[in-house]
Amino acid sequence: MNTIFESAIYESRRAVLKQRMQSGIALFLGNTEAPMNYLSNTYKYRQDSTFLYFFGLALPDLAAVIDFDENREIIFGNDFDIDDIIWMGNQPSVQALGEQAGVHETMPMAKLADYLAGAKGRKIHFVPPYRAETKIVLSELTGLKIGELKANASVELIKHTVNMRSIKEACEIAEMELACSIGVLMHRSVMKACKPAVSELELAGLVEGLALAKGNGVSFPVILSQHGETLHNHNHNLILKEGNMLLTDAGAEGLMNYCSDYTRTIPVSGKFSPKQREIYELVLKANIEGIAKMCPGITFKEAHRHAAEIIASGLKELGLMKGDVKEAVELGAHALFFPHGLGHQLGLDVHDMENFGEDYVGYDNTVHRSDIFGWNALRIARELKPGFVITVEPGIYFIPQLIDIWKSEKRFENFINYDKVETYRDFGGIRIEDDVLVTETSHKVLGPHLEKGVDELEEIMKK
Ligand code: GLY
Ligand code: MN
Ligand code: MN
């Protein structure tokens, strides 16, 4: 099983970066192990995604530089000594690891500080660090205070990296297809095991176990809850109850750390009630039509608007909303029910590259973040390009606390029938999410088909 692409892939990515960056040195700090409760008892290791993208090595305690002025690429790390080998087995030398990534120059980690000190006033480019250990090391290496690091991150390096990583290569898409096929297995396992009296915890464990059995584990902590109205609900402490719906938002990482991200919402009893079915089919329509919009040239904001208008128009038919649908959506009235964005980029991270700052990933000089509630939650709004992989994940939620606030403020009274909304207070929430590749002319839904139609869901739940 491969855990790294051939070295030419990384050589070519670095060559593109070298061509685009003007000058200075880019510093890439790999992730260290993260201790759970004492130093040698660690969380599952996860390499930094930018390090993976340019160097492919999923091992702790590595760093790398690309020196744009001197055209040098160097990997820094320490070879295992006999004590390491006794406890953890042998490992290729740093030199041999470097060769896997097409990097021919390596040095012990202690030389990194000397190398950067020798840069003498040349710019050190780095992306914003998100782990405490990395912040400490970066602070020591650059002489910047920890609080100054984010503001001094290289916008140039961020922008070029985002531009490169947003366009997925064929080898990356193949990895994402694998991650999707694991995600499909995970969700089907829930569909088949879901029934009254089973615990959410048991299903969450089933999902996570499959992700670990087939790949590198889950791509983010499993969301599996009968309280689907809480968008990122990581509690699994309830017992499944007849009449409720179960929302599962979960994805896998393949062995090369590419991610999938799916959401399905199913009736615990195996059959949708008429009321559940009405809302479900509305979300499904927004999901299907949202996917249909995915093609080069459209802005994600327009796709989001389309999905929001489908939701608002359906809610109007059901008597929950009223007035002019386009105006309601433009002003943000739909966000009582659909407060998040239609999706996000997916790749080596489940929210791809979000560590750089969402605005660098999802916005550019043609589209700016709105300050209207709901619209402001769009993780991406910019124009789609061939090679983007994006999630499409509309939802309808009834969040009692939000309903109470809006109702007390009489917010959007001309668009929302609060009396009718009250009759849905305990409904919960529904989201349906798929992963979509934007192609040259259109799109392709990644992964095998994962049941989402009412009939096919009720059919698979019988099994
Ligand atoms: N990982 C949660 C979501 O964005 O779907
Ligand atoms: Mn998701
Ligand atoms: Mn998602």
Side-chain angles (χ1 to χ4, degrees):
M1 281 183 280
N2 286 342
T3 53
I4 185 164
F5 296 128
E6 59 187 37
S7 59
I9 298 282
Y10 304 100
E11 286 168 13
S12 125
R13 290 174 181 172
R14 293 191 303 268
V16 171
L17 186 67
K18 283 193 276 192
Q19 203 182 13
R20 294 183 186 175
M21 291 288 292
Q22 302 283 324
S23 60
I25 298 175
L27 169 62
F28 302 91
L29 294 179
N31 281 339
T32 56
E33 294 278 15
M36 282 197 291
N37 46 354
Y38 55 93
L39 208 57
S40 60
N41 203 30
T42 58
Y43 291 104
K44 186 168 166 52
Y45 179 70
R46 178 55 154 83
Q47 180 58 290
D48 171 72
S49 297
T50 303
F51 195 90
L52 281 175
Y53 182 77
F54 286 113
F55 301 95
L57 298 167
L59 292 163
D61 304 320
L62 296 171
V65 300
I66 303 177
D67 189 326
F68 304 111
D69 307 311
E70 298 186 0
N71 192 21
R72 283 171 83 180
E73 302 172 340
I74 309 168
I75 287 181
F76 295 84
N78 298 331
D79 287 334
F80 266 24
D81 63 19
I82 187 63
D83 287 329
D84 299 321
I85 292 167
I86 288 168
W87 288 94
M88 294 183 290
N90 208 359
Q91 182 177 294
S93 65
V94 175
Q95 182 67 41
L97 290 172
E99 294 300 335
Q100 290 179 23
V103 174
H104 309 298
E105 195 174 359
T106 61
M107 292 186 191
M109 192 56 97
K111 295 277 184 204
L112 178 56
D114 297 343
Y115 191 88
L116 297 175
K120 289 198 185 69
R122 292 197 287 138
K123 177 149 174 83
I124 313 285
H125 301 271
F126 57 86
V127 295
Y130 52 90
R131 282 202 187 181
E133 288 83 355
T134 314
K135 290 180 185 179
I136 293 167
V137 173
L138 197 54
S139 167
E140 285 172 352
L141 288 171
T142 58
L144 293 163
K145 293 202 180 86
I146 285 180
E148 297 169 342
L149 289 170
K150 193 174 168 206
N152 283 280
S154 167
V155 174
E156 194 187 353
L157 180 61
I158 291 172
K159 286 189 170 172
H160 288 308
T161 306
V162 167
N163 284 340
M164 294 178 69
R165 280 180 56 186
S166 296
I167 311 292
K168 268 64 184 179
E169 299 160 56
C171 61
E172 296 183 287
I173 293 161
E175 286 297 320
M176 295 185 76
E177 291 275 15
L178 282 175
C180 285
S181 50
I182 303 170
V184 165
L185 286 180
M186 288 156 65
H187 280 268
R188 285 209 181 119
S189 77
V190 175
M191 292 166 188
K192 289 176 187 166
C194 172
K195 58 180 182 205
V198 172
S199 74
E200 292 175 353
L201 199 61
E202 186 167 332
L203 295 185
L206 190 64
V207 165
E208 183 140 7
L210 269 169
L212 283 164
K214 303 290 180 186
N216 198 43
V218 290
S219 52
F220 60 96
V222 171
I223 297 165
L224 184 147
S225 173
Q226 292 164 100
H227 280 292
E229 75 280 9
T230 303
L231 302 183
H232 281 182
N233 194 341
H234 297 300
N235 286 325
H236 312 128
N237 52 359
L238 298 178
I239 303 298
L240 298 191
K241 193 166 153 248
E242 179 93 30
N244 284 350
M245 276 177 305
L246 176 68
L247 182 151
T248 306
D249 183 349
E253 260 192 25
L255 292 175
M256 293 191 54
N257 301 104
Y258 285 89
C259 300
S260 61
D261 183 9
Y262 287 101
T263 308
R264 290 294 184 266
T265 312
I266 57 179
V268 167
S269 67
K271 207 159 169 51
F272 289 87
S273 73
K275 188 174 179 181
Q276 289 170 343
R277 189 177 177 136
E278 279 173 346
I279 300 288
Y280 185 88
E281 291 199 318
L282 191 45
V283 179
L284 184 61
K285 184 168 185 225
N287 165 276
I288 290 169
E289 292 205 21
I291 291 172
K293 285 277 176 200
M294 295 297 108
C295 64
I298 188 173
T299 64
F300 200 70
K301 188 173 182 176
E302 281 316 302
H304 176 88
R305 183 188 304 280
H306 185 65
E309 286 178 359
I310 288 170
I311 285 172
S313 153
L315 291 175
K316 183 176 166 181
E317 272 174 38
L318 294 174
L320 287 142
M321 290 188 76
K322 57 190 173 181
D324 183 75
V325 165
K326 284 192 184 301
E327 194 187 346
V329 167
E330 179 65 26
L331 296 174
H334 67 287
L336 177 62
F337 311 101
F338 177 29
H340 61 76
L342 185 62
H344 50 86
Q345 292 204 59
L346 183 71
L348 281 163
D349 309 297
V350 64
H351 289 179
D352 210 22
M353 302 171 280
E354 220 167 76
N355 56 312
F356 298 155
E358 249 176 61
D359 284 3
Y360 287 119
V361 182
Y363 293 79
D364 57 20
N365 52 12
T366 66
V367 52
H368 300 286
R369 190 181 288 271
S370 164
D371 52 16
I372 298 174
F373 177 77
W375 283 105
N376 63 359
L378 267 74
R379 298 181 192 281
I380 175 166
R382 67 183 169 121
E383 188 179 306
L384 300 181
K385 297 202 170 102
F388 278 28
V389 175
I390 200 122
T391 68
V392 178
E393 49 180 309
I396 295 179
Y397 313 89
F398 295 89
I399 306 167
Q401 297 84 347
L402 188 64
I403 294 170
D404 289 344
I405 293 172
W406 280 36
K407 190 179 168 185
S408 72
E409 291 174 350
K410 304 187 190 310
R411 204 187 291 195
F412 293 124
E413 256 190 340
N414 46 338
F415 295 119
I416 296 168
N417 277 324
Y418 284 105
D419 288 347
K420 182 79 178 181
V421 172
E422 283 299 338
T423 67
Y424 284 75
R425 238 187 128 74
D426 301 326
F427 184 93
I430 292 174
R431 177 164 66 250
I432 306 172
E433 174 174 28
D434 291 295
D435 304 336
V436 182
L437 167 70
V438 178
T439 61
E440 288 298 327
T441 53
S442 173
H443 66 265
K444 175 181 189 290
V445 179
L446 294 180
H449 175 70
L450 176 59
E451 288 75 5
K452 61 182 174 181
V454 164
D455 292 343
E456 57 181 355
L457 280 177
E458 290 182 350
E459 187 58 35
I460 190 172
M461 286 188 73
K462 278 190 205 153
K463 290 181 187 150

